[in-house]
Amino acid sequence: MNVKIFDTEEVQNFLRLASGLEQEGGNPRVKQITHRILSDLFKTIEDFDITSDEYWTAVAYINQLGTSQEAALLSPGLGIDRFLDMRMDAQDAALGVEIGTPRTIEGPLYVAGAPVEHGFARLDDGSDPDGHPLMMHGVIYDSEGQPLAGAQVEVWHANTKGFYSHFDPTGEQTPFNMRRTIITDENGGYRFQSIVPKGYGCPPEGPTQQFLNQLGRHGNRPAHIHFFITAEGHRKLTTQLNMADDPYVYDDFAYATREGLVVPVVEHTDEAVIKANGLTEAFGEMEFDFKLSKLVDGVDNQVVERPRLQA
Ligand code: MBD
Ligand code: FE
């Protein structure tokens, strides 16, 4: 029998007590948010008649999530990262800010401190036996559409197993493999050689996938390349490009695919073209120009600070 006690004075007073709302010290914002979340949780327990067994299963799950370092993986899986982006887009729309290239989520796998190169960089260390060469290039434009020399292009992506260096469960990748910072040349151009990445899949035995299974959802991302782009006088752009031909391109478990960020990989087999690119085998080419957005009242009003791995 599901008895109803949530709306009683006793429970309502108890929620205020447990949230510290009757205490002097502490952080008022934390108290208010705790009060909301705790109230919603109590009500959920009551409305769904959640049993103690179910509740303690959830507590053990949260511990498992932390032990596996997957909290920042479940987050995009539940669409929360995407929701934060939707809010930033809506804020820009309300302020009349022109955004240029659309933003999309950062994801949990950025590592600070990648080697810095000028104009061109080779991203991969050549060790992936299944690696198909990729040449990517483009121009960074300012908010007025002028090329930006000296802009900083941070790029990172996965190998052909969908694994990222520093997070590779096989331990096979060298530090900063497929991670570089490229400074644009005098024409605002950037160019890199790498290998065509494959899509990412959540660790199949991990707590994120376990949760997704309960939702009847898969945990796959299409092949993609991440970017942070920064330049004087502009807001930092956090975005990703998705390979157009990936079967998951419009079925991303992390909801990061956006119109305007889907790019074809053009295959080149012509000997002369291969040679002209300094390669010895067929390769894929991606071209993409990024357009940045202006500072708002002189500040980057949407820059995201979050704990990031610094290697
Ligand atoms: C990724 O590579 C990624 O970009 C996101 C958002 C989630 C998991 C793995
Ligand atoms: Fe990624």
Side-chain angles (χ1 to χ4, degrees):
M1 185 184 61
N2 189 10
V3 293
K4 301 287 186 188
I5 59 170
F6 181 78
D7 288 320
T8 62
E9 206 181 326
E10 184 190 4
V11 170
Q12 289 304 310
N13 287 339
F14 183 49
L15 279 164
R16 293 183 59 79
L17 189 70
S19 305
L21 288 171
E22 310 298 348
Q23 301 295 317
E24 278 295 318
N27 180 325
R29 182 170 166 78
V30 173
K31 291 181 187 191
Q32 279 177 346
I33 295 169
T34 301
H35 183 255
R36 165 67 71 86
I37 293 174
L38 208 51
S39 298
D40 287 351
L41 179 60
F42 281 22
K43 184 139 178 58
T44 302
I45 290 171
E46 179 161 283
D47 286 352
F48 289 85
D49 202 10
I50 290 173
T51 65
S52 295
D53 294 16
E54 288 172 325
Y55 177 72
W56 292 112
T57 300
V59 170
Y61 177 83
I62 291 169
N63 277 336
Q64 188 57 48
L65 198 61
T67 302
S68 308
Q69 295 278 296
E70 285 194 13
L73 181 61
L74 181 62
S75 172
L78 293 179
I80 301 167
D81 302 29
R82 174 73 190 126
F83 180 63
L84 296 177
D85 274 2
M86 289 177 188
R87 282 177 43 79
M88 288 197 276
D89 287 350
Q91 195 188 359
D92 279 346
L95 289 172
V97 173
E98 262 189 69
I99 62 165
T101 301
R103 65 168 59 82
T104 195
I105 70 170
E106 173 178 334
L109 304 174
Y110 170 80
V111 180
V116 180
E117 313 273 4
H118 290 263
F120 170 85
R122 169 96 189 248
L123 268 52
D124 71 303
D125 64 7
S127 69
D128 192 322
D130 303 317
H132 184 60
L134 170 70
M135 285 292 188
M136 177 160 188
H137 58 96
V139 176
I140 310 301
Y141 290 106
D142 71 11
S143 54
E144 311 299 320
Q146 296 302 310
L148 263 169
Q152 177 178 285
V153 178
E154 293 181 81
V155 51
W156 71 102
H157 70 79
N159 67 9
T160 60
K161 293 181 178 141
F163 296 149
Y164 286 76
S165 60
H166 304 265
F167 300 95
D168 188 330
T170 69
E172 274 168 11
Q173 293 189 62
T174 51
F176 293 111
N177 194 26
M178 290 172 286
R179 300 176 185 275
R180 287 296 182 278
T181 296
I182 306 170
I183 309 297
T184 57
D185 64 23
E186 63 278 13
N187 302 314
Y190 73 91
R191 173 178 288 274
F192 63 80
Q193 177 183 339
S194 194
I195 54 172
V196 180
K198 285 280 195 318
Y200 170 94
C202 289
E205 306 303 327
T208 300
Q209 189 57 58
Q210 197 187 326
F211 198 144
L212 293 170
N213 290 344
Q214 292 290 317
L215 303 180
R217 292 181 43 201
H218 69 73
N220 298 304
R221 299 213 56 210
H224 61 278
I225 303 179
H226 295 265
F227 295 89
F228 283 160
I229 302 180
T230 35
E232 267 304 295
H234 289 79
R235 301 193 302 181
K236 175 178 172 179
L237 172 65
T238 300
T239 197
Q240 307 180 26
L241 300 178
N242 297 103
M243 278 65 173
D245 63 351
D246 193 291
Y248 287 105
V249 71
Y250 295 113
D251 187 20
D252 176 8
F253 100 98
Y255 307 107
T257 305
R258 302 196 61 181
E259 211 179 306
L261 299 175
V262 177
V263 179
V265 182
V266 179
E267 188 64 14
H268 290 284
T269 53
D270 185 87
E271 283 302 332
V273 176
I274 291 168
K275 230 175 139 195
N277 278 269
L279 296 172
T280 55
E281 57 178 312
F283 69 99
E285 180 190 18
M286 284 173 77
E287 181 176 6
F288 194 84
D289 299 338
F290 296 88
K291 189 178 180 192
L292 300 185
S293 58
K294 271 200 278 269
L295 296 176
V296 176
D297 297 328
V299 296
D300 188 337
N301 64 335
Q302 295 190 341
V303 71
V304 176
E305 296 300 341
R306 59 185 274 184
R308 297 183 174 100
L309 191 60
Q310 168 87 49

